[in-house]
């Protein structure tokens, strides 16, 4: 009662103050560090919480364009053996105006014709561009502000002239290019000068005095010494304000002159073109190297050889090809920073800019609303497809002869002869089960999952997601909060959710292809004669939809429902900058997903940050509890989650063994980049062993072929 009296007294005092027109001063609130919102943590703070050193974290954020915590942590994990990871060598930045749309297509077509006709020349090293500010070095902790300065420059200078852009061809015996018409050239010069001013402010440097900064007729270097960083050398910023142009060809053989001249004369540059301002950076160690893209994978056979991963880029000095007696050259991997010898025939030369980092791209002429890279937002939708399993351009061409041979018996014996179950074929090959288990026992127990000794447990990554396919799709697909399907691969419709379209920014759905990928896995399991009784899915929408697509392909009984388990969600800190927003079970059910409304999760997950150990622990708790609790009922189990879920399953179930001595510690980066969409991992118990899945993997242009054997510890 005294508490109630005190409360009423305080309420009356406040009411009197308001009545008299006076606002009572609020007492200061004592905020503990524990009560502060962890969602306000910066990407750098999150990486530091994950245990990375500050210098390494800054280097990773700069190297990945400050696009996301996840991309930066992936970079750190893949560069863990890079001898240069702790070197204090700031990146080099360059500022471009780059054409887009029809003009870009026209220029790229010219590039292809000139390479086919006359071979490689200097222009092929870069994407079509106009250089506005030459290479300059800057500390890693300034990379985000350097990117933000691009937008500020356009806001200060304004939109480009409305008149048609005219490009004037120029041909000589050592250079060919397109020069920009005067009015647009003046605009780009102002952009260049303004960016130099902006960067000097960003870097917080003492700049030498230049009284005539508006004299656009000369190039000028700005030399200064960074006070806070105590850089040993000055930062040189050079605004290009003379003869702005797009280079078409240079450093070409004299014998190629006539052919190149003819190609230039044939080209009629489009006048109505779109442009972007782009800020790139590169590793200065490889400024004088050629860049080659890996076209065929290679596993090292000797300690001094370099592993080749499809889609990776290799830095190679030109002299390597001159001194090589056998076609093997020495190179450095863009993906890992490791170096060694490699077969040059497994690579193809490409533009140097392919291995650069894009920090910002702002479209000109539309108030900067069309930004392809928002360096400050750190959302998953902005993660570039720079790693092998997301590289849609090349994965379809991967050589997979060994994998095809492994499954050849499936197609010939099961599909054609129909002589036996796939399981008695595949399970006897890679794991040599004949030596440890009788074939008759396998045939009796393997398909129905009722045997307590050899139950199946699967882990499946979700299918293709909308945001990584289309980038920032929500602003373009919602009109007055109403979803409009603008591409055939986008969802037919989107369900109502409490967070509205903002919820779909944080929690992406599957593409139509993603649904089909999930159905294919279910179909493969059905054709193999394997049933699933227990389905657990991460609360991420893409995972629940994958579970539904899988069940559709499996033609499972409606009684097999999806248990939404928060313990299966990926590392929360990757999502802290944008927040976490899941659909409720009721919303999922209304969306047509067969969710178990009575299921009580093993792990209750909040929106606070977590350590890596806490992440692994909640996944382990959920998986082990699910396997133990379903043992009495029998039936096979599947966990549907993220790329890390497959490794997580292996670690969690190995910890159910009696012999814990051989159990390996959890590793988040071991296979993260090798798990494509809808990759399927499988284990059998007991004892818990990693085995071949009962159906073959799939491959398409945006998803690599998955090799289940990487899960074997």
């Amino acid at each position: 009662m005294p508490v109630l009296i005190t409360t009423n007294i305080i309420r009356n005092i406040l009411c009197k103050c308001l009545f008299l027109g006076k606002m009572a001063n609020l007492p200061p609130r004592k905020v503990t560090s524990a009560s502060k919102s962890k969602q306000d943590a910066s990407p750098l703070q999150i990486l530091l919480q994950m245990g990375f050193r500050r210098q390494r974290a800054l280097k990773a954020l700069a190297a990945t364009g400050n696009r996301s915590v996840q991309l930066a942590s992936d970079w750190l994990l893949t560069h863990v053996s890079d001898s240069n990871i702790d070197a204090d060598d700031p990146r080099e930045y360059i500022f471009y105006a780059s054409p887009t749309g029809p003009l870009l297509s026209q220029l790229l077509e010219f590039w292809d014709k000139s390479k086919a006709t006359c071979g490689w020349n200097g222009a092929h090293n870069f994407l079509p561009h106009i250089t506005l500010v030459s290479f300059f070095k800057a500390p890693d902790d300034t990379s985000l502000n350097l990117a933000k300065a691009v937008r500020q420059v356009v806001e200060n200078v304004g939109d480009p002239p409305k008149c048609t852009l005219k490009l004037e061809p120029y041909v000589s015996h050592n250079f060919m290019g397109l020069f920009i018409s005067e009015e647009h050239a003046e605009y780009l010069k102002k952009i260049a000068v303004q960016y130099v001013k902006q960067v000097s402010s960003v870097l917080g440097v003492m700049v030498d005095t230049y009284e005539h900064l508006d004299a656009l007729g000369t190039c000028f270097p700005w030399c200064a010494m960074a006070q806070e960083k105590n850089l040993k050398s000055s930062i040189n910023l050079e605004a290009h304000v003379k003869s702005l142009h797009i280079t078409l060809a240079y450093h070409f053989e004299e014998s190629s002159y006539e052919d190149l001249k003819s190609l230039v004369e044939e080209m009629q540059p489009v006048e109505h073109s779109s442009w972007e301002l782009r800020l790139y950076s590169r590793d200065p160690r490889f400024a004088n190297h050629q860049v080659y893209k890996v076209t065929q994978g290679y596993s090292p056979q000797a300690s001094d050889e370099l592993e080749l991963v499809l889609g990776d880029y290799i830095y190679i000095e030109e002299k390597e090809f001159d001194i090589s007696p056998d076609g093997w050259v020495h190179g450095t991997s863009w993906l890992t920073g490791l170096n060694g010898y490699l077969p040059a025939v497994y690579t193809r030369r490409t533009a140097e800019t392919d291995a650069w980092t894009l920090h910002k791209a702002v479209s000109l002429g539309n108030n900067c609303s069309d930004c392809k890279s928002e360096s400050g937002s750190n959302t998953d939708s902005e993660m570039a497809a720079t790693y092998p399993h997301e590289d849609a351009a090349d994965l379809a061409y991967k050589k997979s002869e060994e994998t095809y041979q492994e499954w050849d018996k499936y197609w010939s014996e099961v599909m054609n002869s129909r002589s036996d179950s796939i399981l008695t074929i595949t399970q006897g090959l890679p794991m040599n089960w004949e030596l440890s288990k009788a074939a008759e026992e396998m045939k009796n127990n393997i398909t129905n999952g009722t045997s307590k000794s050899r139950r199946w447990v699967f882990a499946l990554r979700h299918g293709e997601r909308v945001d990584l396919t289309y980038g920032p799709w929500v602003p373009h697909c919602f009109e007055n909060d109403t979803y409009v399907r603008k591409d055939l691969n986008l969802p037919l419709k989107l369900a109502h959710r409490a967070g509205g379209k903002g919820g779909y920014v944080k929690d992406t759905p599957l593409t139509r292809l993603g649904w089909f990928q999930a159905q294919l896995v279910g179909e493969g399991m059905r054709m193999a004669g394997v049933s699933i009784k227990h389905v657990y899915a991460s609360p991420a929408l893409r995972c629940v939809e994958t579970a539904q697509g899988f069940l559709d392909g499996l033609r499972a009984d409606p009684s097999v429902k999806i248990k939404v388990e928060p313990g299966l969600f990926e590392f929360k800190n990757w999502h802290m900058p944008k927040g976490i927003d899941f659909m409720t079970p009721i919303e999922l059910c209304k969306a047509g997903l067969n969710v178990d409304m009575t299921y009580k999760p093993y792990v209750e997950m909040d929106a606070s940050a977590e350590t890596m150990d806490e992440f692994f622990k909640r996944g382990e708790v959920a998986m082990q509890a699910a396997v133990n609790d379903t043992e009495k009922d029998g039936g096979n189990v599947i966990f549907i989650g993220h790329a890390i879920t497959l490794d997580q399953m292996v670690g969690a179930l190995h910890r159910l063994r009696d012999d814990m001595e051989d159990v390996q510690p959890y590793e988040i980066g071991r296979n993260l980049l090798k798990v494509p969409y809808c990759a399927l991992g499988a284990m059998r118990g007991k004892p818990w062993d990693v085995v071949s899945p009962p159906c073959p993997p799939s491959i398409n242009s945006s998803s690599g072929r998955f090799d289940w054997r990487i899960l074997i510890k």
Side-chain angles (χ1 to χ4, degrees):
M1 183 63 69
V3 174
L4 179 61
I5 293 174
T6 302
T7 303
N8 289 334
I9 292 173
I10 293 174
R11 182 184 296 112
N12 290 335
I13 293 174
L14 290 174
C15 290
K16 289 180 180 179
C17 289
L18 291 172
F19 179 77
L20 295 173
K22 299 178 180 179
M23 179 62 71
N25 292 327
L26 291 174
R29 180 186 172 211
K30 295 182 179 180
V31 181
T32 64
S33 58
S35 64
K36 292 180 180 179
S37 174
K38 295 183 179 180
Q39 293 192 22
D40 295 333
S42 68
L44 175 60
Q45 291 171 331
I46 294 173
L47 290 173
L48 295 179
Q49 292 170 6
M50 293 168 66
F52 296 112
R53 295 205 294 268
R54 178 181 177 83
Q55 183 176 347
R56 289 190 176 186
L58 288 171
K59 185 183 287 286
L61 289 168
T64 56
N66 290 275
R67 296 191 179 188
S68 72
V69 173
Q70 180 169 345
L71 198 59
S73 62
D74 289 348
W75 187 93
L76 285 164
L77 292 167
T78 55
H79 283 74
V80 67
S81 300
D82 183 356
S83 60
N84 194 64
I85 193 170
D86 293 318
D88 187 13
D89 191 6
R91 297 181 68 81
E92 287 185 323
Y93 294 82
I94 194 166
F95 189 36
Y96 278 170
S98 301
T100 62
L103 178 57
L104 175 61
S105 298
Q106 191 176 36
L107 291 170
L108 292 177
E109 183 180 358
F110 175 86
W111 257 246
D112 291 338
K113 288 181 179 179
S114 61
K115 276 191 287 188
T117 305
C118 308
W120 194 275
N121 71 67
H124 299 142
N125 280 323
F126 311 95
L127 53 81
H129 69 277
I130 299 172
T131 301
L132 299 181
V133 178
S134 297
F135 279 110
F136 64 94
K137 288 187 176 183
D140 289 335
D141 60 356
T142 64
S143 63
L144 182 57
N145 287 330
L146 294 177
K148 290 181 177 179
V150 178
R151 177 184 291 276
Q152 295 167 352
V153 163
V154 181
E155 291 174 350
N156 292 336
V157 177
D159 290 337
K162 299 297 183 181
C163 62
T164 301
L165 171 67
K166 294 183 179 180
L167 299 171
E168 186 69 27
Y170 175 85
V171 174
S172 71
H173 284 274
N174 55 17
F175 172 84
M176 299 181 187
L178 298 172
F179 283 81
I180 308 301
S181 56
E182 182 176 350
E183 189 169 359
H184 287 270
E186 290 300 312
Y187 170 78
L188 291 177
K189 291 174 185 178
K190 292 178 182 178
I191 289 286
V193 171
Q194 184 62 38
Y195 188 74
V196 169
K197 292 181 181 179
Q198 199 73 39
V199 169
S200 67
S201 174
V202 167
L203 295 176
V205 297
M206 297 297 294
V207 183
D208 289 348
T209 301
Y210 286 86
E211 297 182 355
H212 304 289
L213 298 181
D214 57 345
L216 298 178
T218 58
C219 296
F220 50 88
W222 285 25
C223 303
M225 185 67 71
Q227 293 175 329
E228 296 181 356
K229 292 298 175 181
N230 295 320
L231 295 179
K232 295 180 180 179
S233 60
S234 59
I235 299 172
N236 297 309
L237 297 177
E238 181 180 342
H240 277 221
V241 291
K242 276 188 177 180
S243 304
L244 299 185
H245 62 273
I246 299 174
T247 300
L248 295 178
Y250 73 101
H251 288 173
F252 49 83
E253 297 290 337
E254 185 176 352
S255 59
S256 301
Y257 170 74
E258 292 297 336
D259 291 332
L260 288 172
K261 178 182 176 183
S262 298
L263 290 176
V264 173
E265 291 173 347
E266 290 174 5
M267 186 170 61
Q268 299 294 326
V270 295
E271 294 183 346
H272 298 282
S273 56
S274 301
W275 291 79
E276 289 179 345
L277 297 180
R278 295 185 180 184
L279 179 68
Y280 287 96
S281 74
R282 70 178 181 185
D283 188 330
R285 292 180 298 158
F286 307 110
N288 297 317
H289 288 59
Q290 296 176 354
V291 176
Y292 286 76
K293 190 165 189 176
V294 176
T295 57
Q296 184 168 333
Y298 174 75
S299 298
Q301 306 298 315
S303 59
D304 63 346
E305 293 178 2
L306 180 66
E307 180 182 9
L308 297 183
V309 178
L310 190 70
D312 189 11
Y313 297 99
I314 309 298
Y315 299 104
I316 304 174
E317 290 188 88
E318 184 176 1
K319 67 178 183 180
E320 286 292 325
F321 297 94
D322 298 329
I323 64 177
S324 174
D326 52 10
W328 286 72
V329 296
H330 192 271
T332 303
S333 166
W334 165 86
L335 184 63
T336 65
L338 300 178
N339 58 74
Y341 287 91
L342 62 133
V345 70
Y346 284 4
T347 64
R348 181 186 69 247
R349 190 174 181 185
T350 188
E352 292 179 21
T353 46
D354 288 350
W356 291 0
T357 297
L358 175 64
H359 291 262
K360 192 74 166 182
V362 176
S363 295
L364 294 175
N366 58 355
N367 297 321
C368 308
S369 61
D370 181 17
C371 297
K372 290 188 176 180
S373 174
E374 294 290 343
S375 301
S377 62
N378 300 296
T379 65
D380 278 4
S381 63
E382 291 164 341
M383 283 195 289
T386 54
Y387 288 106
H389 66 287
E390 302 291 0
D391 190 353
D394 290 274
L395 283 177
Y397 302 103
K398 182 176 181 180
K399 301 296 184 182
S400 304
E401 286 82 0
E402 291 183 4
T403 309
Y404 286 124
Q405 290 172 6
E406 180 178 325
W407 288 98
D408 182 61
K409 288 188 177 182
Y410 169 66
W411 301 116
S412 60
E413 298 295 330
V414 179
M415 298 303 297
N416 299 330
S417 303
R418 300 184 182 276
S419 61
D420 209 341
S421 166
I422 179 180
L423 303 179
T424 60
I425 298 171
T426 60
Q427 299 304 321
L429 291 177
M431 298 299 296
N432 291 321
W433 279 21
E434 306 95 316
L435 302 178
S436 59
K437 295 290 179 181
E440 190 64 31
E441 178 188 356
M442 288 173 54
K443 291 181 67 174
N444 292 337
N445 299 330
I446 205 167
T447 58
N448 56 24
T450 57
S451 170
K452 294 182 180 180
S453 61
R454 301 304 292 173
R455 269 205 307 167
W456 287 91
V457 177
F458 300 99
L460 178 69
R461 188 194 176 193
H462 60 77
E464 182 183 79
R465 45 194 288 181
V466 169
D467 54 358
L468 288 189
T469 303
Y470 292 95
W473 63 285
V474 170
H476 304 290
C477 294
F478 279 83
E479 297 178 1
N480 298 324
D481 294 327
T482 300
Y483 170 68
V484 178
R485 185 189 185 205
K486 295 187 176 181
D487 188 277
L488 290 177
N489 197 28
L490 286 169
L492 282 171
K493 58 182 179 179
L494 292 178
H496 172 76
R497 61 188 300 171
K501 64 182 181 181
Y504 283 109
V505 173
K506 301 175 182 178
D507 185 27
T508 182
L510 293 179
T511 63
R512 295 298 303 280
L513 176 59
W515 274 89
F516 184 61
Q517 290 170 328
Q519 292 169 9
L520 284 178
V521 179
E523 178 186 85
M525 297 273 273
R526 172 170 53 83
M527 295 178 67
V530 178
S531 63
I532 295 293
K533 190 173 182 179
H534 310 282
V535 180
Y536 297 85
S538 161
L541 177 58
R542 58 189 180 275
C543 299
V544 182
E545 289 183 335
T546 299
Q548 185 64 58
F550 169 81
L551 290 175
D552 292 345
L554 188 66
R555 297 182 186 173
D557 189 273
S559 62
V560 180
K561 294 183 179 296
I562 304 167
K563 299 175 177 63
V564 180
E565 174 53 61
L568 300 180
F569 185 61
E570 61 187 346
F571 188 42
K572 289 192 294 181
N573 289 21
W574 287 335
H575 301 268
M576 298 306 290
K578 67 175 182 179
I580 299 174
D581 183 9
F582 299 133
M583 293 177 68
T584 65
I586 294 178
E587 290 174 333
L588 293 170
C589 189
K590 289 182 178 180
L593 304 173
N594 191 18
V595 171
D596 187 347
M597 300 295 293
T598 64
Y599 175 67
K600 184 177 180 181
Y602 294 112
V603 176
E604 294 292 342
M605 194 181 73
D606 57 27
S608 62
E610 65 183 351
T611 66
M612 195 66 69
D613 288 339
E614 290 171 340
F615 159 66
F616 283 124
K617 188 61 180 178
R618 66 172 165 87
E620 178 181 300
V621 167
M623 290 180 174
Q624 291 183 351
V627 170
N628 290 333
D629 290 350
T630 58
E631 186 173 10
K632 183 178 180 180
D633 291 339
N636 299 318
V637 180
I638 188 168
F639 299 111
I640 299 176
H642 310 268
I644 189 60
T645 303
L646 281 72
D647 268 326
Q648 224 172 352
M649 174 191 70
V650 174
L653 298 194
H654 275 171
R655 282 163 173 74
L656 291 176
R657 290 176 169 178
D658 295 331
D659 55 325
M660 289 288 293
E661 295 182 1
D662 297 332
V663 175
Q664 300 294 317
Y666 287 109
E667 295 180 78
I668 197 167
R670 182 172 179 265
N671 295 319
L672 200 62
L673 306 181
K674 303 176 183 177
V675 181
Y677 292 132
C678 278
L680 181 67
M683 296 187 73
R684 298 292 305 282
K686 303 174 180 177
W688 292 104
D689 291 316
V690 175
V691 297
S692 168
C695 59
S698 63
I699 187 171
N700 57 64
S701 61
S702 65
S703 181
R705 177 176 288 273
F706 177 63
D707 185 351
W708 63 272
R709 284 168 291 197
I710 67 173
L711 298 174
I712 299 176
K713 301 294 184 181

